[in-house]
Amino acid sequence: MPHNPVAPEFRAALKVLPSFDGLSDQTLARTREAFITAIRGVRVAPYPDVEVKTGAVPGPSGAPEVPVVIYTPRTGHDNAPVLVYIHSGGIVSGTPEVDDARCRDLVNELGIVIVSVDYRLAPEAPYPAAIEDCYAVLKWVHANAYGLSIDPARIAIGGDSAGGGLTACLALMARDRAEVPVCFQLLIYPMLDDRTGTTVMPASELGKYIWTRSANHYAWNAYLGQAPGSEGVSEYAAAFRATDLSGLPPAYIGVGSLDLFLDEDLDYAKRLMAAGIPTEVCVIPGAYHVFDVFIPEAPLSTIFRDSYFSALKRAFSLS
């Protein structure tokens, strides 16, 4: 019998989970809808102690307002830490809804405030639209700390998949523009390197499920407006392209051992450590991309959740 590298608790879900393989301009609309539909099919705890509001903040110069979803504890959140959160979807799909359960869970357990960014998607809005939208929200959060009842010294940024990649880019941008202090970056299986699956080929076992090489190539091409792997790609578009990682906030990087992003994530973690950045790494054996979103109650998903919840607690100095 051939060896199956997928952890037993994640195998059955592969029969029903959406795949981004074969993503193209012609399939994009259907894929976007299928992603949202699959998310809505996941059972979510009600979290009655979490208040959720939608709004919009000023966008980058000359651009539209950026929609946001703000999650707050219903009681006792004066001077609370805040997490600016960036959703998944390959920068070509998704809305804050895809990470609604994660955000509610974080606020419910940690008592923090979360501002989730509904950034513009490619290919309709290519680079730098998404990252500039994220930066605009980060600046707004800092400028409105009093009105949000948050601690301006405890602003973290985070995201998963494409949102994790945008988070890493946002950390670089915040460092270089020096307008907003960021205390921590939460990178959940982040999409960091446009070359993965194009000019840099991971092992054959990586990227077989959910987010594949073809999906990665399409998404990067749509966002960059040029072939992924081209010369001169900005580090604010693909954080792995950065040559100087000094001066960045402490980081957490978590990824599954079968994720297409495994190599780039581990390499980026090593480079952060080499630059003197405190970095925690968690690799879940037998896990493919976004495993925890669709199978949240699996034992390995619980281990993963606990690892980044604990990292945030330490970053925010929460008891």
Side-chain angles (χ1 to χ4, degrees):
M1 178 180 296
H3 172 66
N4 186 344
V6 178
E9 60 208 78
F10 299 138
R11 292 175 188 171
L14 286 173
K15 299 177 182 178
V16 296
L17 291 184
S19 174
F20 288 83
D21 199 36
L23 191 58
S24 68
D25 288 342
Q26 290 70 40
T27 64
L28 181 57
R30 295 196 303 272
T31 301
R32 287 172 171 173
E33 182 59 32
F35 187 32
I36 293 293
T37 299
I39 290 291
R40 290 172 180 165
V42 178
R43 185 163 59 90
V44 178
Y47 300 119
D49 294 331
V50 178
E51 184 173 5
V52 183
K53 295 181 179 179
T54 58
V57 309
S61 178
E65 289 186 318
V66 184
V68 295
V69 181
I70 302 175
Y71 301 82
T72 57
R74 290 192 181 277
T75 58
H77 68 277
D78 288 343
N79 206 42
V82 62
L83 174 65
V84 175
Y85 199 85
I86 308 172
H87 70 77
S88 62
I91 324 183
V92 296
S93 68
T95 71
E97 182 180 359
V98 303
D99 286 299
D100 180 71
R102 192 193 307 274
C103 290
R104 289 175 186 264
D105 194 11
L106 282 163
V107 173
N108 182 69
E109 179 158 325
L110 303 187
I112 64 176
V113 172
I114 291 180
V115 180
S116 186
V117 186
D118 194 359
Y119 55 88
R120 287 170 287 169
L121 300 177
E124 296 89 341
Y127 172 80
I131 188 60
E132 290 291 356
D133 284 354
C134 295
Y135 188 78
V137 173
L138 178 63
K139 279 189 67 176
W140 178 84
V141 166
H142 184 252
N144 291 273
Y146 179 78
L148 292 168
S149 299
I150 61 168
D151 181 357
R154 290 190 292 171
I155 298 175
I157 57 178
D160 60 302
S161 192
L166 286 166
T167 297
C169 293
L170 186 58
L172 291 161
M173 187 173 280
R175 177 199 65 182
D176 295 344
R177 294 185 179 178
E179 296 177 307
V180 181
V182 173
C183 72
F184 189 71
Q185 52 179 323
L186 178 70
L187 310 179
I188 300 174
Y189 31 77
M191 178 180 175
L192 299 168
D193 190 355
D194 62 293
R195 295 165 293 192
T196 297
T198 298
T199 59
V200 176
M201 290 296 176
S204 60
E205 290 295 335
L206 306 182
K208 282 187 175 181
Y209 313 105
I210 315 298
W211 191 256
T212 63
R213 289 163 173 77
S214 68
N216 207 45
H217 184 278
Y218 172 82
W220 277 114
N221 188 74
Y223 184 50
L224 298 176
Q226 61 180 316
S230 299
E231 294 295 325
V233 171
S234 170
E235 63 193 59
Y236 303 142
F240 201 91
R241 296 293 195 118
T243 57
D244 178 12
L245 301 183
S246 63
L248 291 173
Y252 168 96
I253 297 180
V255 66
S257 68
L258 299 178
D259 198 309
L260 179 66
F261 302 147
L262 176 67
D263 290 346
E264 65 188 70
D265 289 355
L266 294 182
D267 287 349
Y268 196 71
K270 288 190 290 185
R271 290 174 58 205
L272 285 169
M273 295 178 205
I277 310 303
T279 303
E280 179 178 349
V281 179
C282 176
V283 178
I284 298 299
Y288 42 77
H289 197 57
V290 297
F291 64 96
D292 61 315
V293 173
F294 292 108
I295 314 99
E297 296 179 357
L300 286 173
S301 294
T302 300
I303 291 171
F304 189 60
R305 172 196 178 276
D306 290 348
S307 72
Y308 68 81
F309 271 52
S310 296
L312 271 177
K313 285 181 182 179
R314 292 191 298 273
F316 287 143
S317 299
L318 299 172
S319 57

